[in-house]
């Protein structure tokens, strides 16, 4: 089936398109003009390059964060609107599983499938990182997406019930940035995994392939209930007492 993926959670506007033949296309732009300005034109460009029409799409997929608040909202609003207009199913992934899926081919070639464990890591600012833990080539979730400091991540891994066996095939896969890569190096050093850091860019085509497989196994998400993933609490707080306007 023809499937389309959109992600705007980072500094890039990313689109992937896969045809029924299996041929995949990726289109990536710096969001210099803003995701809201670039998302639909990039989708139209992708469809034109692939030679298909919008109404030929049979599955829509979207990234739901964590990341840019406005970018995630742009992606969700755009793809929900298309799903309702075209009456096609919609399915979503968060950026940590997208990063793990993007790293998977390189990790399998190095570590094999049986003992592989993967920690995707994304810089969240303020000395904190988004992270999760996946096992095997199927990317079974062992630790749900969490926001934590480098010290908290290392402590959580050290306290895993199967920490010793887990470390035998564990790789850290930071989204390339100075902070995330340095944090990965530090965590790897603490766990005696110095040679197992694999910086990885998120591949929209790999994410779409992951979501197509999930759709075949589990079906689509409910677009009405689908929400952004924001692991950090909002800074804005309601006042303790209502403000009075005079």
């Amino acid at each position: 089936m023809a499937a389309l993926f959109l992600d705007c959670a980072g500094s890039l506007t990313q689109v992937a398109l896969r045809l029924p033949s299996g041929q995949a296309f990726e289109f990536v732009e710096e969001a210099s003009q803003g995701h809201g300005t670039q998302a639909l034109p990039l989708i139209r460009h992708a469809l034109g390059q692939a030679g298909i029409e919008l109404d030929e799409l049979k599955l829509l997929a979207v990234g739901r964060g964590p990341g840019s608040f406005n970018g995630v909202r742009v992606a969700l609003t755009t793809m929900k609107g298309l799903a309702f207009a075209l009456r096609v199913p919609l399915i979503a992934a968060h950026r940590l599983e997208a990063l793990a899926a993007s790293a998977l081919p390189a990790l399998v070639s190095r570590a094999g499938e049986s003992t592989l464990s993967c920690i995707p890591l994304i810089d969240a600012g303020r000395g904190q990182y988004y992270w999760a833990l996946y096992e095997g080539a199927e990317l079974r979730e062992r630790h749900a997406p969490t926001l934590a400091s480098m010290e908290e991540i290392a402590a959580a891994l050290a306290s895993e019930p199967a920490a010793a066996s887990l470390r035998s095939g564990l790789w850290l896969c930071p989204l390339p940035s100075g902070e995330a890569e340095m944090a990965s190096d530090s965590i790897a050093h603490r766990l005696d995994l110095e040679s197992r850091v694999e910086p990885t860019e998120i591949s929209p085509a790999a994410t779409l392939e992951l979501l197509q497989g999930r759709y075949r196994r589990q079906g689509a998400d409910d677009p009405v209930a689908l929400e952004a993933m924001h692991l950090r609490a909002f800074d804005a707080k309601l006042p303790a007492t209502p403000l009075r306007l005079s």
Side-chain angles (χ1 to χ4, degrees), residues 135-148:
E135 287 185 305
E138 303 84 10
L139 298 179
R140 299 181 300 274
E141 184 181 281
R142 181 167 180 140
H143 191 289
T146 305
L147 177 68

Side-chain angles (χ1 to χ4, degrees), residues 26-150:
E26 283 189 347
F27 303 88
V28 178
E29 286 185 352
E30 286 284 346
S32 56
Q33 302 175 41
H35 293 296
T37 302
Q38 295 178 204
L40 281 173
L42 190 57
I43 288 173
R44 286 195 293 266
H45 175 70
L47 294 170
Q49 291 294 304
I52 67 170
E53 299 295 331
L54 191 61
D55 59 8
E56 295 181 67
L57 296 172
K58 302 302 180 186
L59 177 66
L60 298 177
V62 64
R64 64 185 189 98
S68 161
F69 177 84
N70 288 333
V72 173
R73 293 293 172 183
V74 166
L76 283 172
T77 301
T78 299
M79 298 308 274
K80 283 185 177 186
L82 288 176
F84 283 119
L86 299 173
R87 298 184 179 181
V88 296
L90 176 66
I91 191 166
H94 57 73
R95 292 179 82 202
L96 290 163
E97 59 186 340
L99 181 54
S102 302
L104 189 60
L107 299 188
V108 168
S109 68
R110 294 187 182 192
E113 297 186 9
S114 59
T115 61
L116 173 66
S117 298
C118 170
I119 297 176
L121 193 78
I122 299 175
D123 182 16
R126 309 181 195 177
Q128 294 180 304
Y129 306 88
Y130 303 121
W131 76 286
L133 174 59
Y134 299 96
E135 287 185 305
E138 303 84 10
L139 298 179
R140 299 181 300 274
E141 184 181 281
R142 181 167 180 140
H143 191 289
T146 305
L147 177 68
S149 67
M150 177 180 65

